[in-house]
Amino acid sequence: MLFAASVRATLPSVLDERVGSPCHESSSASLATVLRALRPIVGDAAIRSAGTDTTLERLTRPTDPPSISRCEPLEAGGVRTVGPVAEPVIAAFLDGIQRSRVIGHVHGTPLVFGTVAAVIRQRVERRLSTWQAPRVQRAIFVSRSGLGDVVWTALAASLADHGVPLVDTTEGQPADAISAHPLAQRARALDVVALEREQAERQLAAQWCANERAWLWIDGGIAGNLAVDAHAPAFGVVKSHNTLYGDAGSVRDVLALHDGERSPAFLVGHRPRRAVASWYLRLRASANGDPLHGLVRVEVAPPAPEATQAFGAHADLISSWILAEGAPLSLPDPRWATLTYGVYACEQYLKSIIGS
């Protein structure tokens, strides 16, 4: 997303303050409660329309162009065929969602009400139930420099009475780098909300890895999750492919994978985050020849140097677990070809908590 790199570099303190927050809601404030607190500042017009506007997540589209990035091979070339295990091995699934809405403007600066939520759904006797408690956080995200100190102080005081945090999206950013454009401010707020969601997901993953020995499926990458090390019972599954990894030849091989086949494993360097071991796996073939249909990329912690030769067997094993989750289908979701039902169930659960 726009400004993602600069947000990660300039806002560590905003996120780190909440690292130790409990695994339940940090604020029970609803949108209606926040709007009542803001009425003296943003007026009634914004109040009447705030709950009906489309979320920023639906309005915003990725701005990075599709690309191919080189990587370091961990295995020799050649397609690997993998079959599913007879019985599911994955014990639980982790996913998070976010919702962001502009609920008013002050001096042209958008006030963004953001909600993030994350949950682990654990499979017990073929039924999914919530592990521990979901993590839900709500806050107002806004540029303090755009509001000015007087309005910021008044807004903070009004929201504090309702237990709603106020997050400065430009904290730590040089003054000459702060844009006054409302669309730029909105995009930056959306990125900070995404960082909050990632933080909630990482905290839940860390709790699982510290307390459980059964395997956890994490929706998305694990590069920023230091709790998922070589000994942790967790892996990530990436469903989007704006960046494809490898040289031109290996990418062509990936796009030609048949269902039940995986690519050789490789090492992806995520700086300033750590490197991860990864490989592509075709869950389902496409009837119309779409090369990305049913294609996922698996991420795990990289192997120790002495374990590199045996890593292929580890990748085969995890791939067989993933293939075993092919049914039931997560219909009617249009992402059914790569969205396993366990992750779909997490999304539906979270939507029931915070809405669509």
Side-chain angles (χ1 to χ4, degrees):
M1 288 185 178
L2 189 65
F3 302 121
S6 61
V7 171
R8 295 182 193 278
T10 61
L11 278 174
S13 61
V14 173
L15 303 176
D16 292 345
E17 289 175 357
R18 284 187 279 276
V19 168
S21 59
C23 194
H24 49 74
E25 293 198 18
S26 63
S27 169
S28 60
S30 65
L31 176 59
T33 301
V34 172
L35 292 175
R36 285 195 297 270
L38 293 178
R39 180 176 279 111
I41 297 173
V42 302
D44 289 335
I47 301 300
R48 287 192 294 271
S49 64
T52 61
D53 290 343
T54 303
T55 62
L56 296 183
E57 286 77 15
R58 293 182 178 180
L59 289 174
T60 304
R61 295 291 182 268
T63 57
D64 294 334
S67 63
I68 293 177
S69 179
R70 291 191 173 274
C71 57
E72 179 183 340
L74 283 176
E75 293 182 283
V79 171
R80 276 75 168 161
T81 301
V82 183
V85 293
E87 291 293 330
V89 174
I90 308 303
F93 304 85
L94 185 157
D95 194 21
I97 63 174
Q98 65 184 71
R99 297 291 182 267
S100 310
R101 283 184 168 88
V102 176
I103 56 175
H105 294 81
V106 178
H107 305 323
T109 298
L111 302 172
V112 176
F113 178 68
T115 303
V116 302
V119 70
I120 291 176
R121 297 283 281 172
Q122 184 177 20
R123 181 159 47 202
V124 179
E125 296 182 354
R126 297 183 179 272
R127 293 181 178 273
L128 292 174
S129 59
T130 301
W131 182 78
Q132 294 195 3
R135 187 176 290 269
V136 181
Q137 299 170 352
R138 297 180 173 93
I140 296 292
F141 298 82
V142 63
S143 165
R144 179 169 184 166
S145 64
L147 291 184
D149 288 338
V150 173
V151 177
W152 173 274
T153 301
L155 182 60
S158 179
L159 293 174
D161 293 338
H162 299 275
V164 182
L166 185 61
V167 177
D168 178 13
T169 58
T170 55
E171 181 178 350
Q173 191 178 24
D176 58 359
I178 298 174
S179 175
H181 198 301
L183 294 181
Q185 292 179 346
R186 190 178 73 178
R188 186 170 178 85
L190 186 59
D191 279 342
V192 180
V193 174
L195 287 175
E196 291 279 20
R197 174 186 51 76
E198 292 174 7
Q199 179 79 339
E201 293 171 1
R202 286 196 295 268
Q203 291 170 353
L204 271 181
Q207 284 185 288
W208 176 274
C209 292
N211 293 282
E212 302 289 344
R213 306 189 74 171
W215 280 85
L216 173 69
W217 174 316
I218 299 173
D219 186 57
I222 63 163
N225 197 328
L226 300 180
V228 184
D229 58 24
H231 305 289
F235 60 87
V237 176
V238 180
K239 305 187 298 293
S240 58
H241 305 290
N242 199 54
T243 298
L244 289 170
Y245 294 95
D247 57 25
S250 61
V251 167
R252 283 194 293 269
D253 291 342
V254 165
L255 298 179
L257 287 173
H258 296 119
D259 52 319
E261 293 182 343
R262 74 168 180 89
S263 73
F266 49 90
L267 197 64
V268 179
H270 291 265
R271 295 186 175 88
R273 298 179 294 174
R274 65 169 185 179
V276 295
S278 187
W279 65 91
Y280 288 97
L281 175 67
R282 179 81 68 183
L283 304 184
R284 295 178 177 86
S286 171
N288 63 4
D290 180 354
L292 299 180
H293 179 88
L295 184 69
V296 298
R297 185 170 58 82
V298 187
E299 287 192 357
V300 299
E306 64 273 13
T308 300
Q309 288 188 342
F311 185 75
H314 184 57
D316 285 342
L317 188 60
I318 292 178
S319 297
S320 69
W321 298 345
I322 293 173
L323 290 172
E325 300 296 335
L329 299 179
S330 55
L331 293 170
D333 195 290
R335 302 165 297 167
W336 64 269
T338 54
L339 181 64
T340 191
Y341 190 79
V343 174
Y344 175 76
C346 290
E347 289 188 2
Q348 297 305 304
Y349 175 84
L350 293 173
K351 287 178 180 178
S352 73
I353 295 176
I354 72 170
S356 299

